[in-house]
Amino acid sequence: MEKMVSLVFQEFGEGIPVVFLHGFALNHTIWNPVVPLLRSEARLILPDLRGHGRSESSDGPYSMDLMAKDVKCMLEKLEIEKAVLVGHSMGGYIAQAFARYYPERLAGLGFVATRFTPDTSEKIQARFKTIRSVEKHGAEVIAEDMADKLTTRLDLVPSLYNMIKKTPQAGLIGGLKGMAQRIDSTDLVRGLRIPWVFVAGVKDAFVPVEEARAMTAGLASDRYFEAAEAGHMPMLESPEVVADALKLLLRLVENRD
Ligand code: MLT
């Protein structure tokens, strides 16, 4: 039986609940630049995921299903029946697991710099190599490896480095193991009957823009957004593009009800 963890979150505004799921080794503060752009449009809920930020850790693996369950439990506690989920990278994998298990609770999906496919065998091997180094040397290994690849904006690198370095070791290892186990969600996303939008960073070193274009080929072109100057962190690098995508998503969700 998995240990359940209560997620620590911040909340702003009122209206349709929109839950923002940050990526691996990060925390809810990455969404801060989009909050002022959206807080008059919806109820924004920004949790720290299990083992990240100020939320509790547990022993891993943190499967994407388990982290989706954490989000479902948070919504139950808040007495929210249905929400829009916005997922960045690993947060996008969690949003996909949520769509698989709790479709009745989902009003719409925003994907930011993420993918629908599982890890390749090379990627799984690389994740386990990273786990061994984190076990030996701590979070700094990931901060060193990731911080400057996340963004093209040099001024953002120090705060991303610190955010990663402060992430609990159990959270990093749990997340890496969980991501390595995830299954393919391509058909699930293609079959979605709720509105969804996708934001890609043209300079993303983790999800190349060509891959984002191919993944979203069947999506109406006005629901696919590219941030020309962004890397893997469009919410920090081009918050207005992310906000525009989410405003469209909110309109689509409102028109369905
Ligand atoms: C993330 O930003 O969440 C990770 O880079 C995703 C991954 O490693 O697949």
Side-chain angles (χ1 to χ4, degrees):
M1 189 60 187
E2 293 291 351
K3 178 183 168 198
M4 287 322 289
V5 159
S6 292
L7 303 183
V8 175
F9 62 90
Q10 274 207 299
E11 216 181 327
F12 304 90
E14 46 193 66
I16 302 179
V18 184
V19 180
F20 290 79
L21 308 175
H22 60 76
F24 171 70
L26 303 171
N27 65 46
H28 76 278
T29 61
I30 62 164
W31 300 108
N32 285 350
V34 298
V35 169
L37 306 176
L38 290 171
R39 64 182 299 164
S40 60
E41 315 268 336
R43 176 178 177 190
L44 315 178
I45 302 167
L46 280 56
D48 283 338
L49 297 169
R50 176 186 290 251
H52 291 71
R54 289 187 296 124
S55 286
E56 218 184 314
S57 304
S58 65
D59 289 339
Y62 298 174
S63 68
M64 300 302 105
D65 302 359
L66 176 65
M67 296 220 264
K69 195 170 171 191
D70 288 341
V71 175
K72 197 239 340 174
C73 291
M74 180 187 76
L75 291 178
E76 278 171 354
K77 274 199 191 146
L78 290 169
E79 297 183 4
I80 293 172
E81 264 174 46
K82 257 189 183 190
V84 171
L85 292 194
V86 180
H88 166 238
S89 204
M90 181 180 79
Y93 312 154
I94 298 168
Q96 293 154 37
F98 191 99
R100 179 171 290 110
Y101 293 107
Y102 316 112
E104 70 291 351
R105 290 191 161 270
L106 206 50
L109 278 168
F111 295 116
V112 181
T114 190
R115 52 164 59 87
F116 309 140
T117 47
D119 281 355
T120 59
S121 48
E122 292 77 29
K123 182 76 190 174
I124 294 173
Q125 276 179 17
R127 296 224 198 259
F128 279 91
K129 199 168 159 214
T130 309
I131 290 171
R132 289 192 291 277
S133 327
V134 174
E135 280 166 348
K136 268 199 196 152
H137 308 292
E140 207 153 340
V141 172
I142 297 192
E144 286 289 341
D145 185 51
M146 242 178 113
D148 59 354
K149 288 202 198 105
L150 286 174
T151 180
T152 51
R153 286 250 316 266
L154 284 181
D155 58 312
L156 295 174
V157 173
S159 61
L160 288 167
Y161 186 97
N162 284 329
M163 205 183 298
I164 299 170
K165 209 177 129 197
K166 278 197 218 140
T167 305
Q169 198 158 324
L172 296 172
I173 294 172
L176 286 165
K177 287 184 180 165
M179 288 192 287
Q181 294 178 347
R182 76 185 194 282
I183 60 171
D184 194 0
S185 293
T186 309
D187 287 346
L188 176 112
V189 175
R190 287 212 182 109
L192 282 174
R193 288 165 179 272
I194 49 167
W196 60 280
V197 297
F198 193 105
V199 182
V202 170
K203 299 176 180 169
D204 191 336
F206 289 82
V207 183
V209 71
E210 297 74 23
E211 190 182 333
R213 288 176 189 157
M215 253 185 319
T216 55
L219 182 67
S221 59
D222 65 338
R223 300 187 188 188
Y224 172 72
F225 292 72
E226 281 187 358
E229 295 309 317
H232 194 53
M233 305 298 298
M235 73 301 282
L236 292 176
E237 301 164 302
S238 305
E240 61 298 331
V241 177
V242 175
D244 284 348
L246 298 181
K247 281 180 193 167
L248 170 69
L249 179 62
L250 287 168
R251 278 207 302 282
L252 294 167
V253 168
E254 273 160 358
N255 290 339
R256 274 171 60 93
D257 289 340

